[in-house]
């Protein structure tokens, strides 16, 4: 089972960099569908991805059709759109024999309408109020991807880690460090 985040013609390098960092931290493949709205070596994108670029498995696709040709019979593709009525958390992402592809549209126009209609039963929505047009792309990716990973039991990820200077360790996080006399403050 492999998870893929697919970005259709992303425009903003900072979003793509943040998403790449999320992919690095979750062992998720990042598929980029061209044309991109920036050069792949853009400074803002590199800065957003920090020093994790070597840990991201990136697949480039010339266009949407080229991407679709890479899908196999055991691949599940989901289109994330505000126009869907099915909630992303209502789907089971736990079949170990499948790869899961989460396709996100470009920041300004989303996914092509013809593509969404062709895969109507594959459209999923992130709940939101009517007060906004959409969530930030990198936040949307994180919401959907972490739900899939939660259902999958966070494969190959640490759910707990201890650091030398762990803020929650008993010997480091002594209550007396934080005690103060509130009566002395004025």
């Amino acid at each position: 089972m492999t998870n893929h985040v697919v970005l259709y013609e992303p425009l903003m390098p900072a979003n793509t960099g943040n998403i790449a960092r999320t992919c690095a931290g979750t062992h998720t493949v990042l598929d980029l569908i061209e044309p991109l709205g920036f050069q792949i070596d853009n400074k803002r994108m590199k800065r957003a991805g920090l020093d994790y670029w070597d840990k991201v498995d990136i697949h480039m696709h010339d266009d949407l059709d080229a991407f679709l040709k890479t899908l196999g019979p055991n691949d599940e593709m989901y289109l994330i759109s505000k126009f869907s009525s099915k909630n992303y958390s209502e789907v089971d992402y736990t079949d170990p024999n499948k790869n899961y592809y989460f396709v996100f549209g470009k920041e300004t126009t989303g996914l092509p309408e013809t593509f969404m209609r062709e895969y109507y039963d594959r459209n999923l929505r992130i709940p939101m109020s009517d007060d906004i047009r959409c969530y930030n792309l990198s936040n949307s990716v994180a919401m959907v991807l972490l739900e899939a990973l939660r259902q999958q039991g966070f494969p190959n990820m640490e759910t707990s880690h201890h650091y030398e200077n762990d803020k929650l360790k008993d010997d480091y996080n002594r209550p007396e460090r934080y005690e103060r006399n509130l009566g002395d403050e004025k």
Side-chain angles (χ1 to χ4, degrees):
M1 172 181 353
T2 302
N3 293 311
H4 291 250
V5 166
V6 182
L7 302 182
Y8 171 78
E9 300 182 2
L11 296 172
M12 298 178 185
N15 278 339
T16 303
N18 287 333
I19 292 164
R21 185 176 181 179
T22 299
C23 288
T26 58
H27 304 285
T28 299
V29 175
L30 177 59
D31 291 86
L32 299 176
I33 299 175
E34 297 185 272
L36 308 181
F38 50 86
Q39 295 297 317
I40 198 76
D41 61 353
N42 182 288
K43 286 181 185 179
R44 286 183 292 177
M45 189 172 91
K46 284 188 176 185
R47 184 171 52 239
L50 297 175
D51 56 347
Y52 303 115
W53 285 105
D54 63 328
K55 297 178 178 31
V56 183
D57 185 4
I58 300 178
H59 298 183
M60 300 296 296
H61 307 279
D62 290 337
D63 55 33
L64 187 56
D65 287 334
F67 162 72
L68 291 172
K69 289 176 183 171
T70 67
L71 298 178
N74 288 333
D75 294 335
E76 291 284 338
M77 179 180 67
Y78 295 101
L79 287 56
I80 311 304
S81 169
K82 71 178 185 178
F83 299 107
S84 177
S85 58
K86 186 173 185 177
N87 188 328
Y88 74 100
S89 64
E90 297 173 11
V91 177
D92 179 358
Y93 308 110
T94 61
D95 187 334
N97 299 311
K98 293 185 178 183
N99 297 313
Y100 294 95
Y101 289 78
F102 303 102
V103 184
F104 296 83
K106 70 169 90 175
E107 291 92 336
T108 54
T109 57
L111 294 167
E113 183 178 344
T114 54
F115 176 58
M116 292 171 59
R117 289 187 184 282
E118 183 177 350
Y119 295 95
Y120 181 81
D121 63 329
R122 302 269 118 193
N123 285 273
L124 302 176
R125 177 184 176 81
I126 301 171
M128 67 179 148
S129 73
D130 288 340
D131 297 331
I132 61 171
R133 285 186 311 279
C134 62
Y135 291 119
N136 171 275
L137 179 60
S138 61
N139 292 338
S140 297
V141 166
M143 285 186 252
V144 174
L145 181 58
L146 267 291
E147 171 61 18
L149 290 165
R150 182 194 68 79
Q151 289 184 23
Q152 296 164 1
F154 299 107
N156 303 310
M157 297 172 64
E158 291 183 339
T159 57
S160 177
H161 187 82
H162 298 285
Y163 299 91
E164 183 177 334
N165 292 322
D166 194 327
K167 295 177 182 179
L168 297 178
K169 272 186 178 177
D170 289 339
D171 60 339
Y172 180 79
N173 191 25
R174 297 179 308 276
E176 60 271 13
R177 287 185 67 196
Y178 303 102
E179 290 178 6
R180 59 187 173 148
N181 186 342
L182 297 178
D184 292 341
E185 293 182 13
K186 289 199 180 191

